[in-house]
């Protein structure tokens, strides 16, 4: 038994090495989402710059992106020009202004352009928590029934659009495809 105690530090060290190696092989952009295949969680949030509120059912009817963004997010600024391109091609993008100052958000959109069909303000982050948001930017694909079909963590660019997001729009009804492509 005393000889076995000698090897405990070595065994603990080897276990730690195995755990660290496993952690280094994980892709941080592949975060699981408990919402995939489920409807958007219920929400009742104010529309940025307006005196009305929106609910989950207001964002149904056609495939769309929900882009989580904030003025404090540098990566959001990086992806913004590409979101403007997608909006110009007819892609419906809803904005979720996440844990941000609405006044700063309005100025940001005025300065950089507004790719969003509509933006709701999640100042406390409660809707984001229900949706499974880890931070900004994150982009979700919802189908015409408001079901979450895909989640992308990080910047949306042409490669991400072509490889991950566009296929959900190509599978949409023909009237929607004509507008997106």
């Amino acid at each position: 038994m005393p000889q076995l105690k000698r090897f405990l530090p070595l065994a603990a060290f080897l276990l730690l090495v195995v755990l660290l190696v496993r952690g280094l092989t994980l892709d941080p952009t592949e975060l699981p989402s408990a919402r995939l295949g489920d409807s958007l969680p219920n929400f009742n949030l104010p529309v940025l710059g307006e005196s009305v509120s929106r609910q989950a059912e207001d964002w149904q009817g056609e495939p769309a992106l929900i882009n989580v963004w904030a003025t404090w997010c540098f990566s959001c600024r990086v992806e913004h020009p590409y979101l403007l391109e997608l909006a110009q091609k007819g892609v419906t993008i809803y904005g979720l202004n996440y844990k941000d100052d609405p006044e700063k958000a309005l100025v940001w959109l005025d300065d950089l352009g507004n790719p969003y069909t509509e933006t709701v303000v999640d100042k406390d982050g409660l809707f984001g928590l229900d949706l499974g948001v880890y931070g900004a930017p994150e982009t979700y694909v919802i189908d015409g029934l408001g079901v979450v079909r895909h989640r992308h963590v990080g910047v949306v660019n042409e490669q991400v659009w072509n490889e991950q997001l566009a296929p959900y729009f190509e599978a949409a009804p023909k009237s929607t495809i004509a507008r997106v492509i």
Side-chain angles (χ1 to χ4, degrees), residues 77-151:
R77 186 174 290 267
V78 170
E79 80 175 351
H80 197 81
Y82 192 72
L83 294 178
L84 288 168
E85 284 182 38
L86 289 177
Q88 288 175 348
K89 292 179 182 178
V91 177
T92 300
I93 308 172
Y94 296 112
L96 175 60
N97 185 240
Y98 185 66
K99 295 184 177 182
D100 201 2
D101 178 349
E103 295 303 317
K104 288 181 182 177
L106 284 169
V107 170
W108 200 74
L109 291 175
D110 281 344
D111 290 347
L112 299 178
N114 188 351
Y116 305 110
T117 301
E118 189 168 70
T119 298
V120 294
V121 177
D122 188 15
K123 195 168 185 169
D124 298 327
L126 295 177
F127 174 57
L129 183 65
D130 286 345
L131 190 57
V133 171
Y134 283 86
E138 286 186 24
T139 303
Y140 295 81
V141 176
I142 58 170
D143 65 15
L145 300 174
V147 175
V148 178
R149 296 296 173 193
H150 184 77
R151 172 184 186 209

Side-chain angles (χ1 to χ4, degrees), residues 47-104:
V47 174
L48 182 65
E50 298 181 23
S51 60
V52 297
S53 294
R54 288 290 178 250
Q55 299 173 351
E57 58 265 13
D58 294 327
W59 286 359
Q60 294 180 6
E62 62 183 324
L65 298 177
I66 298 176
N67 180 253
V68 180
W69 67 280
T71 59
W72 47 261
C73 167
F74 177 76
S75 297
C76 297
R77 186 174 290 267
V78 170
E79 80 175 351
H80 197 81
Y82 192 72
L83 294 178
L84 288 168
E85 284 182 38
L86 289 177
Q88 288 175 348
K89 292 179 182 178
V91 177
T92 300
I93 308 172
Y94 296 112
L96 175 60
N97 185 240
Y98 185 66
K99 295 184 177 182
D100 201 2
D101 178 349
E103 295 303 317
K104 288 181 182 177

Side-chain angles (χ1 to χ4, degrees), residues 82 89 156-167 170:
Y82 192 72
K89 292 179 182 178
V156 172
N157 55 30
E158 186 173 10
Q159 180 181 0
V160 169
W161 170 256
N162 289 332
E163 293 176 5
Q164 296 181 31
L165 307 176
E170 292 165 359

